[in-house]
Amino acid sequence: QVQLVESGGGLVQAGDSLRLACAVSGRTFNNYAMAWFRQAPGKEREFVTSVSRSGTSLYIDSVKGRFTISRDNAKNTVYLQMNSLKPEDTAVYYCAARLWVATRDSRDFGSWGQGTQVTVSS
């Protein structure tokens, strides 16, 4: 298991940008695929994006072209750059880690951060 700590959430207006960070400790970061999930009030947790060990990324359609995931293996950190934010992006965002290969299913991830709130006002 690894320990994950998110930061960077906040309250912004529609069209603004935020960058989330997830610092990872405890194991070899390079062995882990990383992902961001989000959970809005009254909704299930949903996959947003993932980045493989080699840097290949996947996104859900609603964030393509607006969000960018990246990882810095030297700093054991994964980032989520969110541009052109919309009110429907409002949620608690969670960082997750999985050995070797990421999936879109939250049940496959054994390590989670505490979550960071992102609120986008219209």
Side-chain angles (χ1 to χ4, degrees):
Q1 298 285 357
V2 290
Q3 291 75 50
L4 288 68
V5 178
E6 300 106 332
S7 60
L11 171 63
V12 297
Q13 293 186 331
D16 286 350
S17 298
L18 276 176
R19 189 175 81 153
L20 307 182
C22 174
V24 181
S25 61
R27 294 284 185 176
T28 304
F29 180 65
N30 291 6
N31 289 344
Y32 286 81
M34 302 298 299
W36 289 94
F37 290 78
R38 66 186 179 186
Q39 188 166 18
K43 295 188 176 182
E44 293 186 355
R45 190 171 298 188
E46 69 167 346
F47 170 85
V48 177
T49 179
S50 66
V51 61
S52 71
R53 296 162 60 221
S54 63
T56 302
S57 56
L58 294 173
Y59 300 91
I60 55 172
D61 287 346
S62 60
V63 307
K64 283 181 181 177
R66 299 189 299 121
F67 289 13
T68 303
I69 189 171
S70 61
R71 62 189 296 158
D72 186 334
N73 289 339
K75 295 183 177 180
N76 288 5
T77 301
V78 62
Y79 302 97
L80 182 61
Q81 178 67 43
M82 304 185 293
N83 299 329
S84 302
L85 282 161
K86 303 176 180 181
E88 51 264 42
D89 295 318
T90 295
V92 177
Y93 283 71
Y94 296 91
C95 177
R98 185 173 189 264
L99 271 174
W100 311 124
V101 180
T103 73
R104 294 174 179 250
D105 190 338
S106 61
R107 295 169 296 181
D108 292 333
F109 288 79
S111 299
W112 292 86
Q114 80 285 358
T116 185
Q117 178 70 48
V118 172
T119 303
V120 185
S121 63
S122 58

